[in-house]
Amino acid sequence: MLIGDVARRSGVSARMLRHYESLGLLRPTGRTEGGYREYSGEDIRRIFHIESLRSLGLSLREVGSALDDPGFRPADLVDDLVLRTRERIARETALLTRLRRIEAAEPVGWEDVLQVVALLQALTSESAGKRQRAALASAEEVPVPVEALVEAALSETDPNVAGALRWALARSGDGEWAQPLAQGLDSPAAEVRERAVRAIAEIPDDEASALLRDALTHSDLVVRRCAALALGPRGVADAVPTLVDMIVHDTNDVEAADALSALASRPALADEIATRLVDCLAQGTAAASARRRLTQALADIPGSTASRALADLSRDEDRAVALTAAYILTLRDA
């Protein structure tokens, strides 16, 4: 079969067939009396093999090696191609994400585009200082898409940079943070869940409060406690049980007591909080140190329930508890 016939039947152009021949990929079996290339059935099968391997993403050099290697193992080739394809998809996905974020920033001109690109690159820099400056600039100079800030906040390990990112998110004024941060709360990584709840805690709006309220029932104790600390100053009574538990277990007990004090500024909650603290004090299983912390927490809880409890505690068998309660009563009387 002559080259023109092969080209028509295989769909491979005559020029490409000659190129294959120049590379040593294809060698016509014979020649006609006039010197024209003549392809056998085996040659045509090799052409289809070449095209099939090319369709998988192999270079012509790799195609030649695969066809001429007697020890060629298809499984190895497929595994390698799968790996390379995944890497290529990851690169393309990263590029697409970057382009979408630039688009979301709504740049006016090339200068704006370059500034956004520079900030996005700085957010992933190995330098903590560069990441922190980028976070601060994103809130004050060049608007960076919220999605990029959330991604950076959920992966940041440096506490100073993390604080700057949370500050930038809180100032973004854009509800687009809600979905990615909510997804962060469900991350399999405990450190990501904690970063997510801390970021939500610094956003002062109703949507953030709703997410924090839901987080009070989260399976992760750290998430529940972070949410409770944030909800206390927001006046959410559902946080009371977790805050009291934090005092009992000596976990950020000072912050928990402050949050209870903020909640107790509402008269309807003051007696409820005092009653819960007293109930914990009455439990025989409470350690001496826990009873002292609970007594101290009563100091900033107004109302008659707290005052009666302190009067009883001023006669407690634990001298440290009794002295603490007596001193608090003196301050309250003053």
Side-chain angles (χ1 to χ4, degrees):
M1 189 178 296
L2 299 181
I3 190 169
D5 296 326
V6 173
R8 283 191 298 274
R9 295 196 179 192
S10 67
V12 182
S13 69
R15 176 178 294 181
M16 185 58 73
L17 291 172
R18 295 189 188 97
H19 182 54
Y20 289 168
E21 185 177 347
S22 69
L23 295 176
L25 279 174
L26 182 65
R27 298 179 183 85
T29 301
R31 294 273 179 172
T32 65
E33 291 182 359
Y36 294 106
R37 296 172 178 83
E38 191 169 34
Y39 296 84
S40 66
E42 187 62 31
D43 295 333
I44 293 173
R45 278 194 293 274
R46 186 174 175 90
I47 292 171
F48 283 119
H49 290 162
I50 293 170
E51 292 302 300
S52 295
L53 290 174
R54 282 190 65 199
S55 72
L56 296 177
L58 269 68
S59 67
L60 291 176
R61 183 188 297 274
E62 291 170 325
V63 169
S65 299
L67 292 177
D68 297 333
D69 181 5
F72 170 68
R73 295 181 69 251
D76 292 340
L77 171 65
V78 173
D79 289 343
D80 182 58
L81 288 173
V82 167
L83 177 61
R84 280 196 278 174
T85 301
R86 284 175 174 166
E87 291 173 346
R88 185 176 70 253
I89 291 173
R91 290 193 299 271
E92 295 295 329
T93 302
L95 174 59
L96 180 61
T97 299
R98 190 175 303 115
L99 290 172
R100 283 176 174 169
R101 287 174 178 174
I102 293 172
E103 181 184 37
E106 299 181 349
V108 177
W110 275 114
E111 185 176 346
D112 292 339
V113 171
L114 295 176
Q115 284 182 313
V116 173
V117 170
L119 280 179
L120 290 174
Q121 290 175 335
L123 285 175
T124 59
S125 170
E126 293 184 1
S127 166
K130 286 184 179 180
R131 297 196 303 274
Q132 185 172 19
R133 287 192 293 274
L136 296 174
S138 70
E140 296 183 333
E141 300 172 17
V142 182
V144 170
V146 173
E147 183 184 356
L149 289 176
V150 171
E151 182 178 312
L154 293 182
S155 61
E156 184 55 62
T157 57
D158 184 283
N160 294 322
V161 182
L165 287 165
R166 292 195 297 269
W167 174 81
L169 275 172
R171 289 173 61 91
S172 68
D174 192 333
E176 290 182 9
W177 55 262
Q179 182 178 356
L181 282 182
Q183 290 174 345
L185 289 175
D186 293 327
S187 169
E191 61 273 17
V192 174
R193 296 195 296 270
E194 182 175 357
R195 291 171 194 147
V197 72
R198 290 187 182 281
I200 296 170
E202 295 193 22
I203 299 174
D205 64 23
D206 293 340
E207 192 169 10
S209 296
L211 283 175
L212 291 169
R213 188 180 282 105
D214 291 340
L216 288 174
T217 58
H218 199 283
S219 59
D220 187 331
L221 181 59
V222 172
V223 170
R224 296 201 300 272
R225 287 173 171 172
C226 286
L229 286 174
L231 287 170
R234 300 185 191 210
V236 178
D238 293 344
V240 171
T242 302
L243 292 170
V244 173
D245 181 75
M246 292 173 69
I247 294 172
V248 171
H249 291 93
D250 196 15
T251 305
N252 299 104
D253 58 295
V254 174
E255 292 88 342
D258 288 342
L260 286 174
S261 175
L263 283 166
S265 62
R266 296 166 55 187
L269 280 178
D271 285 346
E272 178 186 334
I273 293 170
T275 299
R276 189 174 287 271
L277 291 170
V278 170
D279 288 344
C280 289
L281 279 161
Q283 292 177 4
T285 56
S289 57
R291 297 184 78 250
R292 287 193 287 272
R293 289 191 298 274
L294 290 165
T295 302
Q296 291 166 356
L298 282 166
D300 293 322
I301 310 300
S304 57
T305 302
S307 295
R308 286 195 300 271
L310 287 167
D312 291 340
L313 289 168
S314 66
R315 299 183 293 275
D316 196 86
E317 294 178 356
D318 186 323
R319 181 168 174 75
V321 169
L323 289 173
T324 299
Y327 177 69
I328 294 172
L329 280 173
T330 300
L331 295 178
R332 290 168 80 96
D333 291 341

